[in-house]
Amino acid sequence: MKQIDILIIDDEVKFADMLSRRLSLRGITCRACYDGLSGIQWIKENPGAAVLILLDLKLPDLYGTQVLAHIKEIDPAVPVFIITGHGTREDEKACLDLGAVEFIHKPVSIEKITTLLTHARGEVQ
Amino acid sequence: MIRTPQILHKQEWLAFLFHRHNVHLASFHTFSNYCRIWIISIAILAVTSLSPLVMATFINHRLIQQAVDAELVLQTERVTSNAKRSMRFFLEERLNALRFIVNELPYYALIDNEHLEEILGNLKLGFGGFTDLSIIDADGSQVAYAGPFNLEGKNYKTQPWFTRSIESDNFISEVFTGYRDVPHIIIAVRSINALGRLFILRATLDTQRLMDTLLSYKTNVHTDIFLMNHTGQLQTPSNTHGKIFTPTRLDIPKFSTTTNVIMPESERDHAFIIGYSYIITEAVTTPFILMVYKKKSGVMGTWLNLGRTFNWIIYISCLVMMIIITLVSTFMVNKLYLADKTKAETMMKMEQNQQLACIGQLSAGIAHEINNPLALINETAGYLKDLYHFADEHQNDQEIMEHLDDILEAVARCGTITSQLLGFVRQFDVQTSAVNVEKLITGILRFHKKETEYKGIHVTTDIAPDTPAIETDRGKLQQILLNLINNAFQAIEANGCLDITVSHLAPDQITIEIKDTGCGIPEENLKRIHEPFFSTKKEKMGTGLGLSITYGLVKKLQGNIRVESSEGVGTIFTVTLPVKMKKEDTA
């Protein structure tokens, strides 16, 4: 089981790639999954391996809230941040109820993500 | 909702007359010209209600008039016919008496003056009205005479009456004065003596008897009975046409053997009804026309007075009805106007709200769709920057770095807009708690402390001591005040003033007034400031969403927002909020 910093679950391949590359440049290890099921699969295989998870809402197979519920089942402790371009207030409420830490609208700055990671690490330690 | 002066104005009586055309409201009004509706309604009501009355009155008036005329005609006809019969009898009786005398007595007995005197005496006794008697031979010389005047031996050959009486068996003259200067009538009968010569028995009749007979038919002062000859000269005195022998200018009525009644059409004689009859005896046609003049108003005065009273009643009731009609029409049209106005205002508000909702939905859709590509641009540009940054290759290429920063800045700005757009549609649940308005305002002003000092802005807060803590959504109220205070700070130039007043005038609401001495809002923009994307701020300064979000939030908190502004002087935003929000909306 390999330890990583951030798991990105987003169907926007280019976005996820760019983000992970940028984070890598900053010495942050990332793993990108392009649909809900593969994300859940990865977490199942590597429980507790990610420091935090960035989750999109609109995914080709499952809806973000469903993925979130699965993640919380497997690993309730991991902080999940919703990063989405869509998202209604119902979504926001549902996500927060399911245990997401924050509901963030795209676009999001790289600094914000690194800050989130710093916080998450601090909490974990 | 607070009662603004505008709402009070609506209650005014006759408000529709002072209706001012409002371009924004006009399209929502069902009717536009209330004065016209008012006039039409008065006209229709007046015509439908008054015309039957007026028509009935008119018909009634005509009927009365006709009845009165018919009655008058009948009366006049009766009087005329009776008078005529008397006149005819008067003349015929005397003519027959003369005829009897010439047929009964021999010529020599007649030319005896003494005998003639005796006959005259008997005639006066038997008939009356005789003044004198004379026998005139065919040459016109008087053969015998009995009477008060000494006319013996006179020759009448040149007298017109003589020539006419010698030509026919019987003769009746007009009234004339003759030698004696006293009005009299001559009647004469012609006969033949034993020698076969023509002679005339002539009698002079006293006109007084004739006039007395006539006057006995004059039943009242409104009736005038007189005789005239065939040329229109009066033969007896008349009340209406003057003394005896006066030539009248009357139209000579058409010859007729019967009694007739005419109603003159001419203006002058319109007030009269005229009965006439030619007096014709069995033996001879007399030169007299009997005229009866009846004054309509005099005879039928009672009826006409009644009609006049009736007319007055009609006039007054018409006037009263017109007043009632006008009042009712005014009241109804005013009600209609007020209802229409309220409807138009509500519709305008609804449309504004709908517009807001529509724009909100549309912008949310756009924001959603743009966010993803925006995120990609952001990451790609960021990655490029990172590449340069971490690869050391172009690390010092200032130009590339600047351009990349521009892109990232632009993306960040777009991000702000889209998140504000989403915030505009998103309606969070309202979570009420007791909020201390004073603390909230103080907190917000603390944010601006630096700016206040830097620009030299004079800030005063005046919070009424009895202001209660209000039950509302803290977050939303904070955002409302933040937006308004931010706006004020942006408008205020150096050394301006910002006054925040909180008052608790009505028991169930508080009023927050934010007054700045900024640049003000031009009148044409005042109506649009709550529209999304409406902004007059220079590039990069505003998104045009701030006030429309504020407006939505105030509504959400069951409050009201009002703005007054004058350009160059400043702007006052007044937010009215309920002390305690109603339950159904908080759910």
Side-chain angles (χ1 to χ4, degrees):
Chain A
M1 190 178 69
K2 53 183 177 181
Q3 197 69 32
I4 62 156
D5 291 318
I6 299 177
L7 172 66
I8 303 166
I9 307 172
D10 198 322
D11 64 328
E12 287 260 353
V13 180
K14 278 186 178 170
F15 172 77
D17 279 355
M18 280 302 163
L19 191 58
S20 54
R21 279 191 208 179
R22 292 187 72 190
L23 290 168
S24 304
L25 283 172
R26 285 165 175 77
I28 296 164
T29 49
C30 292
R31 165 83 205 197
C33 295
Y34 305 125
D35 55 59
L37 287 177
S38 56
I40 294 165
Q41 188 64 34
W42 192 89
I43 295 165
K44 267 187 186 162
E45 284 163 12
N46 312 280
V51 178
L52 66 85
I53 298 171
L54 300 180
L55 175 63
D56 190 11
L57 276 187
K58 265 180 101 179
L59 295 168
D61 49 356
L62 292 171
Y63 199 67
T65 47
Q66 292 172 297
V67 182
L68 177 64
H70 279 291
I71 293 170
K72 285 290 165 183
E73 246 171 54
I74 302 159
D75 186 355
V78 66
V80 181
F81 291 85
I82 309 293
I83 295 191
T84 182
H86 298 260
T88 59
R89 70 164 180 151
E90 285 82 18
D91 287 332
E92 181 167 353
K93 203 163 181 299
C95 290
L96 295 179
D97 287 348
L98 283 169
V101 182
E102 202 181 334
F103 195 95
I104 304 163
H105 278 285
K106 282 179 181 179
V108 59
S109 68
I110 193 86
E111 289 77 18
K112 168 109 184 173
I113 294 171
T114 53
T115 315
L116 292 178
L117 183 65
T118 318
H119 280 287
R121 273 180 181 152
E123 275 170 27
V124 169
Q125 283 159 13
Chain B
M1 194 169 164
I2 45 168
R3 284 168 75 86
T4 62
Q6 200 188 356
I7 292 165
L8 285 173
H9 179 76
K10 289 205 303 187
Q11 306 300 326
E12 256 179 43
W13 180 243
L14 286 180
F16 69 94
L17 282 181
F18 306 103
H19 168 64
R20 282 170 67 198
H21 189 74
N22 182 325
V23 184
H24 297 278
L25 274 177
S27 55
F28 298 105
H29 271 287
T30 312
F31 306 108
S32 57
N33 195 338
Y34 285 91
C35 283
R36 217 178 121 225
I37 296 173
W38 185 51
I39 290 165
I40 289 175
S41 99
I42 289 177
I44 290 175
L45 280 176
V47 168
T48 48
S49 57
L50 295 186
S51 59
L53 186 67
V54 172
M55 265 160 68
T57 312
F58 182 71
I59 290 168
N60 184 46
H61 190 78
R62 286 303 297 257
L63 284 177
I64 288 179
Q65 196 77 46
Q66 277 174 13
V68 165
D69 283 352
E71 177 66 24
L72 260 177
V73 166
L74 198 69
Q75 270 189 24
T76 313
E77 207 167 39
R78 205 179 297 135
V79 169
T80 314
S81 148
N82 288 349
K84 173 187 113 176
R85 223 172 290 130
S86 297
M87 292 308 298
R88 206 171 79 178
F89 180 71
F90 180 88
L91 294 169
E92 258 175 9
E93 197 184 29
R94 279 150 190 83
L95 208 57
N96 288 340
L98 294 189
R99 174 61 61 201
F100 172 78
I101 292 164
V102 288
N103 288 352
E104 181 67 22
L105 297 173
Y107 183 65
Y108 61 86
L110 287 173
I111 56 174
D112 174 11
N113 272 347
E114 272 172 38
H115 198 174
L116 203 59
E117 283 284 357
E118 204 176 311
I119 293 169
L120 178 65
N122 287 335
L123 278 175
K124 277 182 177 172
L125 272 174
F127 299 97
F130 285 92
T131 308
D132 57 9
L133 275 179
S134 57
I135 303 290
I136 298 157
D137 68 13
D139 304 327
S141 47
Q142 190 168 269
V143 183
Y145 176 82
F149 307 100
N150 189 11
L151 298 168
E152 217 170 321
K154 257 194 171 299
N155 193 300
Y156 293 104
K157 197 169 186 174
T158 53
Q159 296 280 338
W161 63 263
F162 172 75
T163 41
R164 286 178 60 196
S165 59
I166 202 76
E167 280 163 13
S168 58
D169 284 343
N170 303 293
F171 171 73
I172 296 172
S173 80
E174 291 179 10
V175 177
F176 70 108
T177 45
Y179 292 119
R180 284 165 281 175
D181 218 20
V182 174
H184 60 271
I185 299 171
I186 289 171
I187 57 173
V189 292
R190 186 180 68 171
S191 193
I192 301 169
N193 62 11
L195 300 169
R197 279 178 62 91
L198 287 171
F199 74 92
I200 292 168
L201 173 59
R202 185 201 77 156
T204 307
L205 293 183
D206 183 2
T207 51
Q208 195 56 47
R209 264 303 278 274
L210 191 75
M211 281 191 283
D212 289 346
T213 314
L214 261 185
L215 289 177
S216 68
Y217 289 95
K218 194 170 159 178
T219 47
N220 54 44
V221 287
H222 305 295
T223 313
D224 185 20
I225 303 182
F226 59 90
L227 292 175
M228 69 178 191
N229 66 13
H230 292 191
T231 58
Q233 196 186 37
L234 284 180
Q235 300 292 290
T236 58
S238 151
N239 293 345
T240 49
H241 293 91
K243 286 182 181 166
I244 191 163
F245 301 133
T246 313
T248 62
R249 287 198 203 107
L250 299 172
D251 296 328
I252 307 303
K254 228 177 102 186
F255 181 80
S256 160
T257 52
T258 55
T259 305
N260 285 297
V261 175
I262 48 172
M263 277 197 253
E265 295 297 319
S266 75
E267 279 290 307
R268 194 173 61 89
D269 294 328
H270 194 63
F272 292 96
I273 193 156
I274 303 167
Y276 74 90
S277 182
Y278 280 79
I279 295 168
I280 302 157
T281 61
E282 242 171 77
V284 68
T285 303
T286 75
F288 302 120
I289 309 171
L290 173 72
M291 300 293 288
V292 177
Y293 264 63
K294 256 183 192 287
K295 207 173 177 184
K296 277 192 202 173
S297 58
V299 180
M300 289 297 156
T302 326
W303 275 106
L304 295 175
N305 276 339
L306 190 72
R308 215 166 291 137
T309 315
F310 193 68
N311 281 352
W312 270 110
I313 291 170
I314 296 295
Y315 293 147
I316 289 167
S317 40
C318 279
L319 192 72
V320 170
M321 275 168 91
M322 270 316 283
I323 290 169
I324 291 170
I325 286 169
T326 311
L327 288 179
V328 168
S329 294
T330 312
F331 181 75
M332 296 310 281
V333 172
N334 205 44
K335 279 275 172 223
L336 181 72
Y337 167 72
L338 293 180
D340 197 15
K341 196 178 166 192
T342 315
K343 186 205 76 179
E345 278 166 0
T346 314
M347 277 176 76
M348 191 172 81
K349 255 182 215 153
M350 265 170 60
E351 207 190 64
Q352 272 175 356
N353 287 347
Q354 220 168 11
Q355 254 177 359
L356 277 182
C358 233
I359 293 169
Q361 271 176 343
L362 182 71
S363 37
I366 293 170
H368 279 143
E369 290 312 316
I370 282 176
N371 268 346
N372 277 325
L374 211 53
L376 189 58
I377 296 168
N378 190 39
E379 294 317 317
T380 315
Y383 182 59
L384 273 177
K385 195 181 163 189
D386 288 354
L387 278 184
Y388 288 129
H389 189 75
F390 291 101
D392 295 343
E393 208 174 313
H394 298 282
Q395 200 176 1
N396 296 322
D397 191 332
Q398 210 55 38
E399 206 183 344
I400 288 177
M401 284 302 175
E402 269 176 28
H403 287 319
L404 285 170
D405 281 339
D406 283 349
I407 295 174
L408 289 172
E409 204 182 297
V411 171
R413 203 174 122 65
C414 287
T416 316
I417 294 173
T418 53
S419 75
Q420 273 193 347
L421 277 179
L422 289 174
F424 176 64
V425 223
R426 202 178 299 161
Q427 296 180 318
F428 292 103
D429 285 346
V430 177
Q431 287 172 341
T432 55
S433 57
V435 179
N436 184 323
V437 183
E438 183 174 7
K439 273 189 188 165
L440 205 63
I441 293 171
T442 320
I444 293 164
L445 287 175
R446 208 175 295 134
F447 284 125
H448 292 278
K449 208 174 175 191
K450 270 194 178 168
E451 199 179 351
T452 316
E453 284 165 5
Y454 170 68
K455 278 176 137 182
I457 295 172
H458 186 70
V459 180
T460 53
T461 52
D462 175 18
I463 289 145
D466 63 336
T467 307
I470 62 168
E471 285 273 321
T472 192
D473 187 302
R474 171 186 290 274
K476 290 190 178 11
L477 183 55
Q478 192 168 30
Q479 206 184 343
I480 292 165
L481 294 174
L482 200 63
N483 281 347
L484 293 177
I485 292 171
N486 268 344
N487 273 348
F489 269 103
Q490 279 166 11
I492 297 172
E493 304 284 320
N495 300 320
C497 286
L498 172 68
D499 299 325
I500 301 172
T501 317
V502 180
S503 46
H504 182 224
L505 297 175
D508 55 348
Q509 60 187 28
I510 65 158
T511 307
I512 305 169
E513 196 180 270
I514 296 164
K515 181 178 170 189
D516 68 58
T517 56
C519 49
I521 305 164
E523 209 187 319
E524 65 267 25
N525 291 343
L526 267 180
K527 282 197 193 312
R528 303 185 57 200
I529 56 168
H530 294 308
E531 281 178 23
F533 300 110
F534 180 77
S535 177
T536 55
K537 292 175 185 166
K538 297 284 173 285
E539 290 289 313
K540 292 190 181 181
M541 286 283 280
T543 57
L545 288 169
L547 276 178
S548 63
I549 290 172
T550 308
Y551 183 77
L553 288 174
V554 173
K555 287 283 163 205
K556 197 76 195 157
L557 297 185
Q558 298 166 5
N560 251 323
I561 185 164
R562 210 171 62 214
V563 60
E564 294 160 56
S565 184
S566 58
E567 225 177 331
V569 178
T571 307
I572 305 172
F573 277 98
T574 312
V575 179
T576 315
L577 290 172
V579 169
K580 197 171 164 99
M581 285 177 64
K582 279 183 201 140
K583 268 221 169 129
E584 57 266 27
D585 277 280
T586 56

